[in-house]
Each structure stands twice: as C-alpha cells, then as structure tokens.
Amino acid sequence: QVQLVESGGGLVQPGGSLRLSCAASGFTLDDYAIGWFRQAPGKEREGVSCISGDDGTTYYTDSVKGRFTISRDNAKNTVYLQMNRLKPEDTAVYYCAAVDYSGTFLYPRLRPYEYDYWGQGTQVTVSS
C-alpha cells in the first residue's frame, strides 16, 4: 500500500532551519512525482515544491525560492524539504503528497488535486 510519513517539524526561530522528511513505502520514488504542501489555519492548501519521478526536476513557489530545497534519496525511498531562513509566514502544517507519474514535468505540479496520496502532516512553527 502506498504510504507517506512526514517528520522533522517543530518550533524554530526566524532565520533558522529545519529539514522535513517524507518516508515513502509501497512504491518506488522514480515512478512517482512528490509534492510538498502547507496549510495554515483559515487558508487554502498551498503548493510549496515538487520533484519529478523521472529526472528530479524541481519547482518552487515564489515565496520560498532561494530558501527551500527539495531533494530525494532513492536508496532510502525518502524525499526531503530543507528549509532555511525561515520566516513566521512559513508557519503551517506541511504535507507530502504523491502521484503515479514517472515522467518529467511540463509545468509545476503544485495544485493539491494533482496528487492522490497524502501523509499525515507535520507542524512547522516559526516564532521568536
């Protein structure tokens, strides 16, 4: 069964860093596209970053470009989101998601409806 488990969230001061992990099981990463999303209270779920199953092409929403990095380790079947220079507005529950798509990206896949499988989420709080 396809399963995704996020970890690595927590409380961090502005300007600090966190690395989120998404451990995948039941499928092989190079057969699936993976996205990171976040949702703050009262707001719509927002696509943060995605990585393709084919060639590892990545995209980022403008608000995190230059600060966040998505990567994958196929041997560990794990996707990461390295978050640097965190800001209070980054505070949200972060989710990883997967869809059975093994090709490259023709466009950024940062819409929730483009994904079929979701993890449980991990809380990220950025506050002084």
Side-chain angles (χ1 to χ4, degrees):
Q1 298 295 317
V2 173
Q3 293 185 357
L4 302 168
V5 180
E6 303 98 330
S7 62
L11 175 65
V12 65
Q13 292 185 330
S17 297
L18 285 172
R19 188 181 73 164
L20 305 183
S21 298
C22 176
S25 61
F27 67 97
T28 301
L29 282 182
D30 61 4
D31 292 330
Y32 283 70
I34 303 294
W36 281 100
F37 294 80
R38 64 188 181 186
Q39 189 165 22
K43 294 186 177 181
E44 297 294 321
R45 190 163 296 188
E46 174 190 25
V48 175
S49 184
C50 57
I51 186 167
S52 72
D54 177 24
D55 57 3
T57 300
T58 61
Y59 288 98
Y60 302 88
T61 193
D62 286 345
S63 63
V64 309
K65 286 189 68 175
R67 300 189 297 120
F68 291 11
T69 303
I70 190 171
S71 63
R72 68 186 184 197
D73 185 335
N74 287 353
K76 297 181 179 179
N77 226 41
T78 299
V79 176
Y80 303 96
L81 185 68
Q82 178 67 45
M83 305 185 295
N84 298 325
R85 296 191 291 123
L86 283 160
K87 304 175 181 180
E89 51 263 45
D90 295 319
T91 296
V93 177
Y94 282 71
Y95 301 88
C96 65
V99 62
D100 185 3
Y101 178 74
S102 61
T104 191
F105 289 147
L106 301 177
Y107 57 89
R109 299 228 173 188
L110 294 174
R111 296 178 175 90
Y113 64 77
E114 295 177 299
Y115 293 84
D116 295 323
Y117 306 99
W118 293 83
Q120 83 288 351
T122 185
Q123 176 71 47
V124 172
T125 302
V126 185
S127 177
S128 60

